Amino acid sequence: MSASDHHQQPHPSFEILGGGLQRFFPSLTHLTRPYNPFPFITWNRHVETIFASFFRSTPDVTLRRQCLRTKDGGSVSLDWVSGDDRRLLPHAPLLILLPGLTGGSGDSYVRHMLVRARSKGWRVVVFNSRGCGDSPVTTPQFYSASFLGDMHEVVSHVSDRYPNANLYGVGWSLGANILVRYLGQESHNCPLSGAVSLCNPFNLVVSDEDFRKGFNKIYDKALSSALCKIFKKHALLFEDIGGEYNIPMVANAKSVREFDDGLTLSFGFKSVDDYYFNSSSSDSIKHVQTPLLCIQAENDPIAPSRGIPREDIKENPNCLLVVTSKGGHLGWVAGDEAPLGAPWTDPLVIDFLQYLETEAAKAPQTCSNSGDNKETLQSVV
């Protein structure tokens, strides 16, 4: 590190904190420059969120799908970039992408990250959860925030396939919540060398409270409609299962809470609030032993700022939190590629991951990428 690096300061347009600040900040030069939201579009958090969802460009990438059958007979879909097995060396760093609720490899923010990482020589795979991204549902085990079993099996499979590669993860929204919960559960035994969490709701109880207020009801209705569509497509799997599933409630849910309520008992929880409380990643931060960058927007309508576990992030030397003043949910319409290009966060994410990979290359691995500890969990937003 040069002498000038010691004098670099975060730009005041960011809230930056974490036990890993001194370790990670020098590699994140984007944070020394102001966060400049794109004019007009970003004046309102809902306008920015909706604009990014409907109008952001989607890079054209040819993907090759691998259907992975899980131990319980379920199925998840892994989308790899076609031709990368011939183009990349077996030890190329490998990035697992976890989209948000009902999201998949076709989403624009996923594609932009995939393209940027690939341009740096990374192998990338998108983890499409059960029923998402046209991934089939083959058992009554449905998509949920409490179930981490598929994450364990995906990491184990990818590690077995590329045993000489360092593994990393990037998750958005509910995918970020699942990723952070996985990091916390694995703790010292985590096979990942680093991770990034974006737009993480962290505290699902707080997120649920805000989700049912004002304009947020529009998102609630849209997401519940998408969930119901997935459920109805595979409804025959749930017929005559009885007891713990309220099939009519799930199939006709008018809100995410109502949808979750119909499935909650099947996940082993007493109520939907019990499910949200125990499926939140906010309590996982204190157990994370893997380098973790968390990026949030102060005005995120779906992942409220007050739900961020700031004190635990401050106490953990492996964690760094960056909060932008604007950004909406999965928006971040700012930076050189705004308004139609990649989110402002993408270069920051790549700089963090490149730093970790460089550091990992300097030191021999002390633990293998094993997936032996396979508990059964699940994913939600």
Side-chain angles (χ1 to χ4, degrees):
M1 186 186 300
S2 67
S4 61
D5 287 331
H6 289 286
H7 299 294
Q8 287 184 336
Q9 295 294 324
H11 192 272
S13 55
F14 303 103
E15 176 192 358
I16 303 177
L17 59 88
L21 179 63
Q22 297 303 317
R23 176 184 175 190
F24 301 131
F25 176 74
S27 65
L28 306 177
T29 56
H30 284 81
L31 298 179
T32 63
R33 302 191 289 273
Y35 180 78
N36 289 320
F38 193 81
F40 307 115
I41 293 167
T42 59
W43 70 273
N44 176 280
R45 62 182 183 168
H46 301 299
V47 172
E48 183 170 7
T49 298
I50 293 168
F51 178 89
S53 177
F54 284 95
F55 299 108
R56 175 169 278 146
S57 63
T58 303
D60 187 22
V61 183
T62 302
L63 301 175
R64 176 176 50 81
R65 173 152 291 190
Q66 175 190 12
C67 288
L68 181 65
R69 182 71 65 151
T70 58
K71 288 184 174 181
D72 69 344
S75 300
V76 299
S77 297
L78 301 180
D79 287 339
W80 304 84
V81 180
S82 181
D84 272 2
D85 268 347
R86 297 186 299 274
R87 189 179 75 95
L88 297 172
L89 294 173
H91 63 269
L94 198 156
L95 182 60
I96 303 170
L97 303 182
L98 289 79
L101 180 61
T102 74
S105 55
D107 290 356
S108 63
Y109 62 88
V110 175
R111 290 287 184 96
H112 277 288
M113 178 58 67
L114 183 154
V115 167
R116 187 175 296 267
R118 189 168 179 259
S119 72
K120 301 293 185 180
W122 288 58
R123 191 186 313 277
V124 186
V125 60
V126 183
F127 168 18
N128 300 280
S129 295
R130 302 183 189 209
C132 301
D134 293 323
S135 185
V137 175
T138 54
T139 73
Q141 174 65 67
F142 203 65
Y143 188 46
S144 122
S146 65
F147 181 65
L148 299 179
D150 289 350
M151 181 65 182
H152 283 279
E153 294 200 43
V154 166
V155 172
S156 178
H157 170 80
V158 168
S159 175
D160 289 345
R161 183 168 174 174
Y162 296 100
N164 296 318
N166 291 319
L167 308 184
Y168 301 83
V170 171
W172 294 265
S173 198
L174 196 57
N177 188 76
I178 292 163
L179 176 59
V180 172
R181 287 192 64 231
Y182 171 79
L183 297 177
Q185 187 181 77
E186 291 292 277
S187 196
H188 291 281
N189 298 316
C190 185
L192 301 184
S193 297
V196 181
S197 159
L198 301 106
C199 290
N200 189 343
F202 279 114
N203 187 323
L204 299 183
V205 175
V206 169
S207 184
D208 172 63
E209 290 172 359
D210 281 19
F211 215 40
R212 292 177 279 137
K213 297 177 183 175
F215 192 89
N216 281 9
K217 293 176 182 177
I218 302 295
Y219 307 129
D220 195 6
K221 187 173 182 179
L223 285 171
S224 61
S225 176
L227 286 168
C228 288
K229 186 176 180 181
I230 295 171
F231 184 83
K232 288 176 180 177
K233 185 177 178 181
H234 304 282
L236 289 177
L237 281 171
F238 299 85
E239 289 296 332
D240 298 322
I241 202 166
E244 297 173 335
Y245 286 90
N246 187 332
I247 294 176
M249 178 187 285
V250 176
N252 300 294
K254 298 293 187 272
S255 68
V256 172
R257 182 183 177 86
E258 195 174 330
F259 184 91
D260 289 339
D261 200 14
L263 294 177
T264 292
L265 293 179
S266 70
F267 301 152
F269 298 98
K270 293 177 287 187
S271 67
V272 67
D273 291 311
D274 182 45
Y275 162 62
Y276 287 152
F277 180 80
N278 286 286
S279 303
S280 297
S281 61
S282 51
D283 290 335
S284 299
I285 288 291
K286 62 176 69 76
H287 304 297
V288 171
Q289 297 295 321
T290 301
L292 171 64
L293 172 64
C294 302
I295 311 177
Q296 304 284 123
E298 177 67 31
N299 69 345
D300 192 321
I302 295 174
S305 177
R306 73 181 192 281
I308 301 171
R310 287 174 168 82
E311 291 307 313
D312 285 345
I313 292 173
K314 285 181 184 176
E315 295 293 325
N316 191 325
N318 303 295
C319 298
L320 179 65
L321 170 68
V322 175
V323 183
T324 57
S325 56
K326 295 186 177 182
H329 189 70
L330 301 174
W332 283 302
V333 183
D336 296 339
E337 296 188 35
L340 300 178
W344 170 87
T345 49
D346 282 11
L348 183 64
V349 171
I350 291 299
D351 282 352
F352 180 74
L353 295 175
Q354 291 274 72
Y355 164 76
L356 296 179
E357 177 63 10
T358 300
E359 291 299 299
K362 294 177 183 176
Q365 293 293 316
T366 57
C367 59
S368 63
N369 288 334
S370 69
D372 297 333
N373 182 15
K374 293 194 180 75
E375 297 185 24
T376 304
L377 305 183
Q378 202 182 359
S379 44
V380 170
V381 148

